[in-house]
Amino acid sequence: MHNSSNDVLALPIFKQEESNLPPESDNKILPFQYVLCAATSPAVKLHDETLTYLNQGQSYEIRMLDNRKMGELPEINGKMVKSIIRVVFHDRRLQYTEHQQLEGWRWNRPGDRILDLDIPMSVGVVDPRANPTQLNTVEFLWDPSKRTSVFIQVHCISTEFTMRKHGGEKGVPFRIQIDTFKENEAGEYTEHLHSASCQVKVFKPKGADRKQKTDREKMEKRAPQEKEKYQPSYETTILTECSPWPEITYVNNSPSPGFNSSHNSFPVIEGLDTFVNNLLPTATPQEAQQWLHRNRFSPFCRLFSNFSGADLLKLTREDVIQICGPADGIRLFNALKGRVVRPRLTIYVCQESQQTREQHQKHENGDGSSNAFFVYHAIYLEELTAVELTEKLAQLFSISPRQISQIFKQGPTGIHVLVSDEVRASTGFLFLQCLGQSFPNVICEALGIYK
């Protein structure tokens, strides 16, 4: 039975998870086969997925083999296909937070890549590319009818992504996944042909050899009956079939003359307040992607690539926090629910001259002959400090905050009380003592409403 998280996210389903596959699917001939030239661990139980140890920065060969039967996929005869190789997390928990994990790695290792191609050692590889914005991905073209071997180097180690770093902790497993595509009618490599992956752990240089030797020695010490429960160590690792890695819908998969760091094709609407454009339940997956992009949730577009507006709005607070992490999860949940941060205090300010003050007094005394019309401006305060009030008033009157030397409020019997963080200007008349002749002292009336 699938884990419930598989129903929430469009993440790859790996072979060992597909317990509901019919038996005959195990015997079907796949169009391609990818073979990693590194030995599997002998300490893996029967029926479990193989585990392969790699050394950081060492070049490993992956043989790209054409496995088609006679007459299968004739449309790619004599043509190139495109393969994308990724190093991704094996654990679902880390897959949910992949973007944050990779950004943290980038921050700690500026200028480094997680995955590289060793181009001088590779054979049959055409137009290899390594996008500088995707540290864990490389891609290239190759002709299935010709010998092709690609050499890869993995520069991150498994212990860099463990929760606690006290020494001696087990490193997290990675997956090496290869997705292969053929050209569509427009000449873009977007039609999926085959995907396969394997589980690996990456150690510091020579650490993989030591780990392999330790596993072998442990197995030699086991009783013969115990040894029968474990797989033998194979000289190479065959990548097993899996579902394709979900692509961001606005990524251009065609081989362009050079990498373009701005892949999105959606217009960014300027001037919209955050979350003003609420996501509607009727939004299509494409419109939902645009909404995520506009509201600065682009890193999660791939995870939600098949979600409509209704799908996203059905997510609970716990769902989005699990998927996006606490910080972005709370922000996304608030955005989905259209929640706007409310100010702690709203002050409505009306600038007054002596003449308008007399008219206002008549109006308050019930003198119907007064036809005065008073315009108030709203000032939203979130910190409730004198500095914040000074800045907001200066912005309202289009002057520099430095021109306002002091702010007073009208106290009992008409005295002037200096406004400070403790004495708040919530109601009554405000007196702004200003510097310079270009802007005389200002008298305001403030009507405050706390939230």
Side-chain angles (χ1 to χ4, degrees), residues 33-42 44 49-54 60-65 149 197-200 212 231-240:
Q33 189 175 63
Y34 317 121
V35 180
L36 172 64
C37 295
T40 62
S41 167
V44 176
E49 184 186 17
T50 59
L51 175 61
T52 303
Y53 302 134
L54 305 181
Y60 288 92
E61 180 185 8
I62 299 179
R63 296 172 185 164
M64 314 290 289
L65 305 177
S149 284
S197 64
C198 67
Q199 183 183 192
V200 300
Q212 187 80 355
Q231 302 179 18
S233 176
Y234 300 100
E235 290 185 1
T236 58
T237 305
I238 297 177
L239 280 66
T240 54

Side-chain angles (χ1 to χ4, degrees), residues 111-226:
D112 288 350
R113 288 189 56 81
I114 287 176
L115 180 65
D116 264 329
L117 284 179
D118 189 341
I119 297 175
M121 292 188 68
S122 299
V123 177
V125 170
V126 178
D127 196 19
R129 295 169 178 267
N131 189 331
T133 65
Q134 296 174 343
L135 304 182
N136 62 328
T137 303
V138 294
E139 62 181 61
F140 55 92
L141 304 179
W142 58 287
D143 186 344
S145 66
K146 297 179 181 179
R147 181 197 162 200
T148 303
S149 284
V150 58
F151 282 77
I152 64 165
Q153 298 169 339
V154 183
H155 298 290
C156 62
I157 59 175
S158 293
T159 52
E160 288 185 273
F161 300 98
T162 50
M163 296 294 289
R164 298 177 179 82
K165 302 196 187 289
H166 302 302
E169 65 277 342
K170 289 185 177 181
V172 301
F174 300 125
R175 302 199 71 80
I176 293 177
Q177 174 156 339
I178 303 179
D179 300 291
T180 298
F181 303 86
K182 67 177 180 179
E183 281 185 299
N184 60 15
E185 293 179 356
E188 299 171 329
Y189 291 92
T190 55
E191 293 194 22
H192 178 255
L193 289 173
H194 178 241
S195 294
S197 64
C198 67
Q199 183 183 192
V200 300
K201 280 190 176 182
V202 184
F203 296 81
K204 290 182 178 180
K206 298 186 178 179
D209 307 286
R210 289 192 293 269
K211 178 62 174 169
Q212 187 80 355
K213 180 181 177 182
T214 301
D215 284 359
R216 187 169 60 249
E217 290 173 349
K218 283 182 180 179
M219 293 307 302
E220 289 173 353
K221 294 178 183 178
R222 292 182 181 273
Q225 290 181 341
E226 281 293 309

Side-chain angles (χ1 to χ4, degrees), residues 300-352:
F300 305 103
C301 285
R302 174 175 58 79
L303 294 176
F304 298 117
S305 59
N306 296 319
F307 279 55
S308 66
D311 294 332
L312 285 170
L313 290 168
K314 287 176 184 176
L315 294 175
T316 66
R317 188 173 185 270
E318 291 71 24
D319 288 337
V320 290
I321 288 176
Q322 183 187 17
I323 295 166
C324 305
D328 286 314
I330 292 171
R331 193 168 67 86
L332 176 55
F333 181 75
N334 288 337
L336 289 170
K337 304 305 176 186
R339 297 184 178 182
V340 180
V341 177
R342 301 193 177 202
R344 294 172 63 189
L345 173 65
T346 302
I347 297 179
Y348 297 93
V349 177
C350 175
Q351 182 180 351
E352 292 193 339

Side-chain angles (χ1 to χ4, degrees), residues 286-305:
Q286 179 81 355
E287 291 167 341
Q289 291 281 303
Q290 293 182 27
W291 182 88
L292 288 167
H293 187 69
R294 278 201 304 269
N295 287 286
R296 295 179 292 114
F297 295 108
S298 300
F300 305 103
C301 285
R302 174 175 58 79
L303 294 176
F304 298 117
S305 59

Side-chain angles (χ1 to χ4, degrees), residues 219-291:
M219 293 307 302
E220 289 173 353
K221 294 178 183 178
R222 292 182 181 273
Q225 290 181 341
E226 281 293 309
K227 288 182 182 178
E228 292 177 359
K229 298 178 181 178
Y230 289 84
Q231 302 179 18
S233 176
Y234 300 100
E235 290 185 1
T236 58
T237 305
I238 297 177
L239 280 66
T240 54
E241 185 187 13
C242 67
S243 63
W245 191 261
E247 286 283 355
I248 302 174
T249 56
Y250 52 81
V251 169
N252 179 7
N253 283 314
S254 61
S256 55
F259 272 112
N260 181 3
S261 59
S262 57
H263 286 297
N264 73 77
S265 59
F266 298 146
V268 178
I269 299 178
E270 301 285 346
L272 281 178
D273 291 336
T274 306
F275 310 152
V276 166
N277 185 14
N278 289 338
L279 182 66
L280 300 177
T282 55
T284 64
Q286 179 81 355
E287 291 167 341
Q289 291 281 303
Q290 293 182 27
W291 182 88

